[in-house]
């Protein structure tokens, strides 16, 4: 009589040894499912990975359904060297699948409840002798659909492409980021586009040096499916900013330089480096600006803000866009830097003193005569 736990542990050890033999000497090489037929070793590796996922599921661990995994997931699994890293990635994919199933169940429940309410309203309307007024009934108001709002916002971006100041986002730093950082960078690019799109007077935003086949580019395409449509108001370039704009108008915004940006100049074209530097803190944007001979500037953060101890002074791409939008409109740095998250800042001494005085005044003893 075989013990299932011992068989599973034995299978896990065999899989671990097979995977370790495959990954020895592999320097994170690019494995793709497109060349599986040409590479029998990769095909064998994929079979071992599928078997490993099945073993994890049988043992009750957090592992996704292998039938629901996409090509990009298998490609990333082929690059992971250790069992611990693969197990963490399995748990991450399992969490995503559970969230999608939960959201699907909630959507089906809400849809069923909506149908029940609609049927009840129809029954009530049949008993009414007069016209029923309200939402989905007789009304004098026209409905504004989401597609109408999208067309209106896109039209505002089209006008900005003709008349508004230009801002460049340099997307050439993906080789210095990990996969998770590159994915986070793609999400920040989407948020930057959304922040600019919702502004009253948006910028003419240009994404330069974009590799749409990389992780960040794929993430951006995932969040903006109409990215490559010819009528969508977004500027995506594979060329560098030096090939698109005059060099004398370019100003690279980097936190590592000494020159502060005292006032916003609409004639300048400001460049924001698209990099999520959680681990890599090298002054890459400063080095690139010096190498290209561009003017540099940094936001006056230390002049107007008081940072907490140990908090990073880095800002996301969408926060940079929001700061420039407010500064263009108000020319007030104090107002513009309110975008910076409060968790990174300390309470100013003046505000703390006022709070203490008001608190003491509240609890002050006032005897009654």
């Amino acid at each position: 009589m075989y013990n299932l736990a011992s068989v599973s542990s034995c299978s896990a050890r065999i899989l671990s040894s097979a995977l370790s033999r495959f990954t020895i000497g592999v320097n994170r090489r690019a494995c793709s499912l497109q060349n599986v037929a040409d590479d029998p070793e990769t095909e064998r590796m994929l079979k071992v990975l599928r078997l490993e996922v099945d073993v994890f599921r049988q043992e009750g661990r957090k592992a996704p359904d292998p039938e629901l995994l996409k090509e990009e997931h298998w490609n990333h699994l082929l690059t992971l060297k250790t069992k611990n890293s693969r197990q963490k990635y399995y748990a991450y994919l399992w969490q995503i699948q559970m969230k999608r199933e939960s959201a699907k169940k909630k959507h089906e429940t809400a849809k069923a409840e909506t149908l029940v309410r609609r049927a009840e309203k129809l029954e009530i309307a049949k008993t009414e002798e007069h016209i029923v007024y309200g939402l989905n009934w007789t009304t004098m108001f026209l409905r504004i659909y989401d597609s109408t709002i999208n067309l209106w916002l896109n039209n505002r971006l089209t006008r900005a492409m003709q008349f508004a100041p230009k801002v460049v986002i340099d997307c050439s730093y993906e080789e210095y980021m990990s996969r998770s950082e590159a994915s986070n960078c793609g999400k920040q690019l989407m948020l930057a586009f959304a922040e600019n799109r919702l502004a009253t007077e948006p910028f003419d935003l240009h994404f330069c040096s974009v590799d749409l086949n990389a992780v960040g580019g794929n993430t951006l395409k995932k969040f903006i499916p109409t990215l490559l449509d010819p009528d969508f108001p977004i500027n995506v370039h594979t060329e560098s900013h030096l090939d698109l704009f005059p060099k004398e108008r370019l100003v690279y915004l980097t936190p590592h330089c000494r020159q502060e940006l005292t006032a916003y100049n609409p004639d300048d074209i400001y460049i924001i480096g698209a990099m999520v530097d959680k681990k890599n803190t090298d002054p890459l944007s400063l080095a690139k600006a010096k190498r290209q001979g561009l003017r540099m500037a940094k936001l006056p953060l230390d002049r107007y803000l008081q940072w907490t101890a140990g908090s990073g002074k880095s800002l996301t791409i969408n926060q940079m866009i929001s700061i420039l939008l407010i500064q263009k409109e108000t020319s007030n740095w104090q107002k513009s830097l309110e975008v910076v998250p409060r968790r990174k800042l300390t309470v100013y001494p003046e505000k703390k003193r006022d709070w203490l005085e008001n608190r003491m005044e509240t609890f002050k003893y006032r005897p009654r005569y």
Side-chain angles (χ1 to χ4, degrees):
M1 194 71 180
Y2 291 100
N3 188 358
L4 181 60
S6 61
V7 172
S8 299
S9 61
C10 181
S11 302
R13 288 196 299 269
I14 295 173
L15 289 172
S16 179
S17 62
L19 290 169
S20 62
R21 285 198 302 269
F22 180 81
T23 53
I24 288 177
V26 178
N27 187 13
R28 299 187 68 87
R29 61 187 181 90
C31 300
S32 176
L33 298 185
Q34 298 176 355
N35 57 0
V36 168
D38 301 334
D39 190 358
E41 188 68 18
T42 304
E43 184 178 4
R44 187 183 68 83
M45 179 63 180
L46 286 172
K47 293 181 180 178
V48 174
L49 286 174
R50 286 181 177 273
L51 186 57
E52 184 181 51
V53 176
D54 290 335
V55 171
F56 276 25
R57 289 169 63 86
Q58 291 174 6
E59 292 178 350
R61 302 186 190 182
K62 296 179 180 179
D65 186 357
E67 300 300 328
L68 299 179
L69 296 184
K70 299 180 181 179
E71 179 182 349
E72 58 183 19
H73 300 146
W74 293 113
N75 287 338
H76 182 58
L77 284 170
L78 288 170
T79 62
L80 298 179
K81 297 182 180 180
T82 62
K83 179 182 176 182
N84 189 25
S85 60
R86 290 193 301 274
Q87 188 173 354
K88 289 181 180 179
Y89 191 60
Y90 291 148
Y92 166 72
L93 296 177
W94 177 84
Q95 260 186 336
I96 293 177
Q97 288 187 6
M98 291 299 104
K99 287 181 180 179
R100 287 177 179 173
E101 291 179 3
S102 176
K104 186 178 179 181
K105 290 179 181 178
K106 289 181 180 178
H107 177 71
E108 292 176 353
T109 304
K111 187 177 180 181
E113 292 176 354
T114 303
L115 291 175
V116 172
R117 288 196 302 267
R118 186 172 297 176
E120 293 175 354
K121 286 183 178 180
L122 287 174
E123 291 296 329
I124 295 174
K126 290 179 181 179
T127 60
E128 290 287 338
E129 297 180 358
H130 302 284
I131 299 175
V132 179
Y133 294 94
L135 190 63
N136 295 328
W137 302 100
T138 304
T139 177
M140 61 180 290
F141 299 104
L142 292 177
R143 188 173 213 173
I144 301 177
Y145 294 92
D146 291 339
S147 58
T148 306
I149 298 296
N150 286 331
L151 290 174
W152 177 63
L153 294 175
N154 290 345
N155 180 57
R156 196 157 61 181
L157 281 182
T158 304
R159 293 200 312 270
M161 289 180 175
Q162 299 173 336
F163 307 109
K166 302 180 186 301
V167 171
V168 173
I169 298 181
D170 185 10
C171 305
S172 62
Y173 296 98
E174 185 147 350
E175 59 179 317
Y176 303 102
M177 294 184 286
S178 63
R179 182 184 178 87
S180 59
E181 289 175 343
S183 179
N184 190 7
C185 181
K187 185 176 181 180
Q188 290 184 19
L189 292 176
M190 178 273 296
L191 292 174
F193 171 78
E195 292 282 349
N196 184 62
R197 187 169 178 253
L198 293 175
T200 307
E201 296 181 359
F203 286 118
D204 180 19
L205 207 59
H206 290 261
F207 296 92
C208 296
S209 304
V210 178
D211 184 6
L212 293 176
N213 297 322
V215 177
N218 287 327
T219 305
L220 185 61
K221 287 190 293 184
K222 175 183 175 182
F223 285 115
I224 309 178
T226 57
L227 179 69
L228 301 179
D229 290 355
D231 58 341
F232 192 71
I234 189 171
N235 302 302
V236 180
H237 312 283
T238 57
E239 300 88 353
S240 171
H241 45 267
L242 293 177
D243 302 327
L244 299 172
F245 306 105
K247 187 175 180 180
E248 60 273 8
R249 293 183 58 190
L250 297 176
V251 179
Y252 215 113
L253 297 180
T254 171
H256 304 286
C257 70
R258 299 179 180 178
Q259 182 67 32
E260 286 189 347
L261 183 66
T262 55
Y264 173 82
N265 185 4
D267 294 329
D268 290 335
I269 301 175
Y270 295 100
I271 306 173
I272 302 172
M275 182 176 179
V276 178
D277 48 357
K278 294 182 179 179
K279 297 179 181 178
N280 191 353
T281 57
D282 296 334
L284 300 174
S285 55
L286 176 67
K288 185 171 185 178
K290 285 186 175 181
R291 187 167 61 251
Q292 294 178 347
L294 302 177
R295 288 182 291 157
M296 293 172 287
K298 66 176 181 180
L299 300 184
L301 301 178
D302 295 332
R303 181 181 299 184
Y304 294 95
L305 302 178
Q306 186 174 353
W307 303 88
T308 58
S311 66
K313 298 182 181 181
S314 59
L315 301 175
T316 60
I317 304 170
N318 51 300
Q319 289 170 357
M320 292 287 295
I321 292 294
S322 299
I323 290 173
L324 290 179
L325 284 168
I326 299 174
Q327 179 64 19
K328 176 170 70 74
E329 182 180 355
T330 63
S331 299
N332 186 348
W333 282 113
Q334 196 73 44
K335 181 73 175 176
S336 303
L337 296 178
E338 290 180 357
V339 177
V340 179
R342 297 293 101 180
R343 68 179 184 274
K344 293 189 174 184
L345 306 178
T346 59
V347 180
Y348 292 107
E350 297 82 6
K351 294 183 179 180
K352 185 179 291 185
R353 185 173 60 250
D354 295 341
W355 180 82
L356 288 174
E357 290 177 355
N358 294 334
R359 199 72 174 154
M360 293 172 63
E361 186 68 23
T362 303
F363 294 105
K364 190 174 182 180
Y365 175 67
R366 297 182 179 87
R368 294 182 181 180
Y369 300 100

